[in-house]
């Protein structure tokens, strides 16, 4: 390509290493100082703010062709990127469902990049640490040491791994070789109507199709209705389908509801089905001393998806898939091309970690999780989970004490659904009113909530997966929600 032709007068071989190591060291010190300040003062900044047009325009700049001093590059990042975060490291970020990161984890990511290992496999320390963190995850949820697992990008990928193994184990043919078209009977998977949307993507990607995932109605507590599930299994079997997999959710994304995992596990045994638990939210409640009993039965699962970038607060990305039957796991993914054959000694004598998932090259995700677990100990992470659940209960009481507010779904764990009342208003105007409150809370930088619809009612949703939240923050949320609600109502009356 002409545009990229070799510059004139280049005599020495080029490298990406800094021309002056002392310079980069000095700049790196500054970056670390800025980073410490950034986290230390996060409470004093708005949770989120809209980006001005100049800052947006920055991202339209063309491909850089010539060099720029790294200090200038950092300056641009600082002004245009660091200044406009999503906000999930802030103590009053409670939208959707995500962790709030941690400084040690950030150091882990930095060191992982410096060491630079590829976790596709091989004989090196990072590979051993990857396996160790998977082992720790097994231990946290009560899986046996003989189980298998892999660190992946997040919960969505962890669920895909689990459901792939389930499909292959129950297909009735060598589905890897012959494809889903050769299956003697079409498979059916079952989950509650609260199941996370990633399962739909998984069913589609697995070639089973969205309709093969039956959404079973939920009870008043938004847990899968066991009677309805049993009836659906009978109905499908009679209709010529093969009921293959029950997906239990330990902590639904809407309300935090936890399916009856013990009953689902027992039913899967009776029906000869795979039992997968989507524990992206709740699997780690197993380490929380006050609440562990909420996820009793999770250890009976054939596979579990969990998400260290949620309640372990690992910097993105980190998910983990666990599979009880290690050979079923490996059989679902292992492929050994000639360029990845093991040798008896040397670099290629380690485990090929890419045999347990879809990626070939893999990042060193384990280090950020490992360092934070070593620093704090797993018991502290358990207490922080209990703390968030207690905060959600506390917020629920604060809301119940305000006549202008109402709780709209049972609070089971760390998710609170509520709305501002509006006398005599239709569902539609309630939705508009509450959405406006949510947007003003975001735009004024006060708090980040999200919204959803539960049992036909629109509501605001507070998911406290945050080690920085304090009870004061919850008082402030209630106060500001009432203030904004009142302002909107007053200005509506004046119109
Ligand atoms: C977050 C979540 C997922 C998806 O996980 P990602 O890490 O966002 O990919 C799946 N299921 C549930 C219940 C979740 O809360």
């Amino acid at each position: 390509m002409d545009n990229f032709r070799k510059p004139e007068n280049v005599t020495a071989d080029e490298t990406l290493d800094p021309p002056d190591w002392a310079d980069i060291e000095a700049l790196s010190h500054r970056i670390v100082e800025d980073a410490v300040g950034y986290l230390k003062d996060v409470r004093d900044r708005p949770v989120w703010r809209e980006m001005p047009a100049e800052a947006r325009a920055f991202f339209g700049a063309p491909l850089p062709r010539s060099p720029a001093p790294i200090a200038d590059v950092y300056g641009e990042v600082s002004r245009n990127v660091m200044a406009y975060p999503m906000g999930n490291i802030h103590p009053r970020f409670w939208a959707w469902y995500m962790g709030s990161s941690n400084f040690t984890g950030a150091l882990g990511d930095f060191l992982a990049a410096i060491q630079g290992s590829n976790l596709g496999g091989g004989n090196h320390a990072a590979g051993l640490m990857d396996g160790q963190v998977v082992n720790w995850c097994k231990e946290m949820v009560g899986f046996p040491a003989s189980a298998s697992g892999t660190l992946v990008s997040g919960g969505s990928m962890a669920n895909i791994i689990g459901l792939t193994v389930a499909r292959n184990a129950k297909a009735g043919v060598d589905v890897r070789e012959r494809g889903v078209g050769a299956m003697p009977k079409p498979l059916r998977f079952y989950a509650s109507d609260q199941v996370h949307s990633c399962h739909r993507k998984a069913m589609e990607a697995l070639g089973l199709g969205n309709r093969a995932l039956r959404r079973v109605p939920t009870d008043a507590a938004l847990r899968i209705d066991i009677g309805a599930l049993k009836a659906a299994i009978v109905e499908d079997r009679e209709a010529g389908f093969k009921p293959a997999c029950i997906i239990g959710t330990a902590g639904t994304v809407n309300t935090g509801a936890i399916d009856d995992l013990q009953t689902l596990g027992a039913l899967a045994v009776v029906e000869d089905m795979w039992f997968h638990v989507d524990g992206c939210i709740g699997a780690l409640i197993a380490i929380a001393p006050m609440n562990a009993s909420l996820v009793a039965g999770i250890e009976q699962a054939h596979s579990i998806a969990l998400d260290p970038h949620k309640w372990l607060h690992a910097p993105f990305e980190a998910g983990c898939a666990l599979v009880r039957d290690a050979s079923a796991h490996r059989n679902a993914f292992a492929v050994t091309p000639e360029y990845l054959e093991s040798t008896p000694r040397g670099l290629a004598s380690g485990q090929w970690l890419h045999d347990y998932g879809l990626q070939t090259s893999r990042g060193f995700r384990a280090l950020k999780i490992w360092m934070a677990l070593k620093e704090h100990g797993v018991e502290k992470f358990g207490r922080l989970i209990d703390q968030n659940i207690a905060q959600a209960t506390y917020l629920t009481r604060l809301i119940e004490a305000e006549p202008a507010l109402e709780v709209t779904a049972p609070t089971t764990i760390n998710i609170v659904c509520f709305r501002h009342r509006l006398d005599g208003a239709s569902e539609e105007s309630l939705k508009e009113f509450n959405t406006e409150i949510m947007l003003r809370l975001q735009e004024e930088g006060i708090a980040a909530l999200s919204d959803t619809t539960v049992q036909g009612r629109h509501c605001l949703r507070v998911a406290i997966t945050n080690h920085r939240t304090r009870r004061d923050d919850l008082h402030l949320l209630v106060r500001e929600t009432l203030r904004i609600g009142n302002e909107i109502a007053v200005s509506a009356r004046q119109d």
Side-chain angles (χ1 to χ4, degrees):
M1 273 207 309
D2 234 27
N3 285 343
F4 293 95
R5 84 177 165 270
K6 201 168 157 236
E8 311 296 328
N9 305 325
V10 172
T11 48
D13 291 333
E14 288 199 289
T15 170
L16 296 176
D17 280 338
D20 182 338
W21 285 102
D23 274 359
I24 198 68
E25 190 177 348
L27 177 65
S28 302
H29 284 297
R30 216 181 89 210
I31 293 176
V32 170
E33 269 168 41
D34 291 353
V36 168
Y38 190 82
L39 262 201
K40 189 160 60 73
D41 301 335
V42 62
R43 177 174 284 280
D44 304 332
R45 295 195 300 273
V47 177
W48 176 84
R49 56 190 174 135
E50 185 61 79
M51 300 183 71
E54 322 77 270
R56 278 182 186 280
F58 172 78
F59 299 99
L63 176 67
R65 299 204 168 230
S66 44
I70 182 62
D72 294 359
V73 174
Y74 172 59
E76 293 191 324
V77 170
S78 182
R79 283 189 303 281
N80 298 294
V81 181
M82 298 308 281
Y84 303 101
M86 183 182 214
N88 49 298
I89 63 166
H90 193 282
R92 288 190 300 277
F93 185 98
W94 304 304
W96 305 294
Y97 201 98
M98 52 191 90
S100 39
S101 197
N102 71 93
F103 196 83
T104 301
L107 292 176
D109 253 357
F110 174 73
L111 292 172
I114 291 292
Q115 206 225 26
S117 296
N118 184 334
L119 277 281
N123 176 18
H124 52 86
L128 291 179
M129 184 177 280
D130 188 278
Q132 183 179 27
V133 168
V134 169
N135 285 339
W136 289 352
C137 289
K138 291 183 218 165
E139 197 175 332
M140 285 190 262
V141 299
F143 250 32
S146 59
S148 175
T150 182
L151 296 178
V152 291
S153 55
S156 302
M157 192 50 75
N159 279 308
I160 288 185
I161 300 291
L163 299 193
T164 304
V165 184
R167 180 199 63 178
N168 294 13
K170 297 295 176 188
V173 290
D174 181 353
V175 73
R176 289 186 68 186
E177 195 57 33
R178 300 183 53 204
V180 290
M183 294 189 314
K185 288 180 178 179
L187 304 186
R188 280 282 195 261
F189 285 40
Y190 304 80
S192 90
D193 58 17
Q194 300 295 301
V195 72
H196 191 275
S197 57
C198 72
H199 294 277
R200 174 184 176 146
K201 289 196 201 176
M203 296 301 284
E204 293 170 2
L206 290 175
L208 300 172
N210 181 38
R211 284 190 202 166
L213 176 58
R214 276 195 73 160
R215 276 77 164 177
V216 177
T218 38
D219 62 18
L222 294 142
R223 306 177 346 148
I224 192 165
D225 180 326
I226 303 288
L229 170 62
K230 286 181 177 166
I233 292 171
V234 170
E235 185 186 288
D236 283 346
R237 203 164 263 140
E238 280 169 5
F241 295 105
K242 177 165 178 174
C245 175
I246 299 173
I247 302 167
T249 302
T252 61
V253 70
N254 265 334
T255 69
I258 297 171
D259 288 335
D260 180 347
L261 303 179
Q262 251 150 349
T263 301
L264 293 182
L267 183 63
V269 171
V270 171
E271 298 286 351
D272 188 26
M273 292 167 72
W274 191 272
F275 178 37
H276 174 80
V277 173
D278 180 348
C280 289
I281 288 178
L284 289 165
I285 295 175
I287 63 170
M290 310 289 287
N291 290 285
S293 64
L294 291 175
V295 293
I298 194 168
E299 70 291 343
Q300 296 168 25
H302 294 101
S303 54
I304 302 176
L306 61 109
D307 231 354
H309 63 205
K310 288 179 175 170
W311 247 334
L312 290 185
H313 304 291
F316 294 113
E317 305 165 341
C320 180
L322 298 177
V323 182
R324 173 181 299 282
D325 177 347
S327 58
H329 185 190
R330 192 168 184 283
N331 289 341
F333 297 103
V335 182
T336 307
E338 57 279 21
Y339 46 84
L340 291 176
E341 270 167 17
S342 298
T343 51
R345 302 192 315 278
L347 184 52
S349 63
Q351 250 212 330
W352 288 114
L353 299 168
H354 67 80
D355 276 344
Y356 295 88
L358 295 165
Q359 289 181 258
T360 305
S361 293
R362 300 171 65 247
F364 189 7
R365 296 190 176 99
L367 186 55
K368 59 193 170 190
I369 304 171
W370 191 94
M371 283 177 68
L373 276 169
K374 286 287 275 192
E375 180 191 13
H376 298 290
V378 69
E379 289 181 3
K380 179 159 180 186
F381 284 96
R383 291 197 302 277
L384 286 171
I385 290 171
D386 278 338
Q387 175 171 294
N388 282 161
I389 295 175
Q391 286 167 336
T393 306
Y394 186 77
L395 175 63
T396 303
R397 300 231 175 82
L398 293 182
I399 292 167
E400 283 167 348
E402 292 296 339
L405 306 179
E406 66 176 321
V407 173
T408 54
T411 303
T412 317
I413 47 172
N414 61 333
I415 300 176
V416 181
C417 292
F418 78 103
R419 64 183 177 181
H420 200 302
R421 294 180 208 264
L422 199 55
D423 285 339
S426 63
E427 267 305 312
E428 204 178 320
S429 36
L430 266 168
K431 178 171 181 178
E432 205 178 308
F433 177 55
N434 279 282
T435 304
E436 183 62 22
I437 294 175
M438 174 183 76
L439 295 177
R440 290 195 197 183
L441 283 167
Q442 290 172 7
E443 285 166 344
E444 293 179 28
I446 298 165
L449 314 186
S450 53
D451 64 340
T452 188
T453 299
V454 179
Q455 292 164 333
R457 295 196 297 172
H458 175 262
C459 56
L460 303 182
R461 185 178 156 285
V462 185
I464 314 173
T465 320
N466 195 316
H467 58 88
R468 299 192 176 96
T469 300
R470 301 178 196 149
R471 290 192 177 201
D472 278 356
D473 294 310
L474 305 173
H475 283 276
L476 187 136
L477 170 66
V478 170
R479 219 161 49 231
E480 293 293 284
T481 301
L482 291 169
R483 172 186 65 80
I484 294 171
N486 192 45
E487 278 173 19
I488 300 169
V490 167
S491 73
R493 280 198 292 276
Q494 285 164 351
D495 285 347

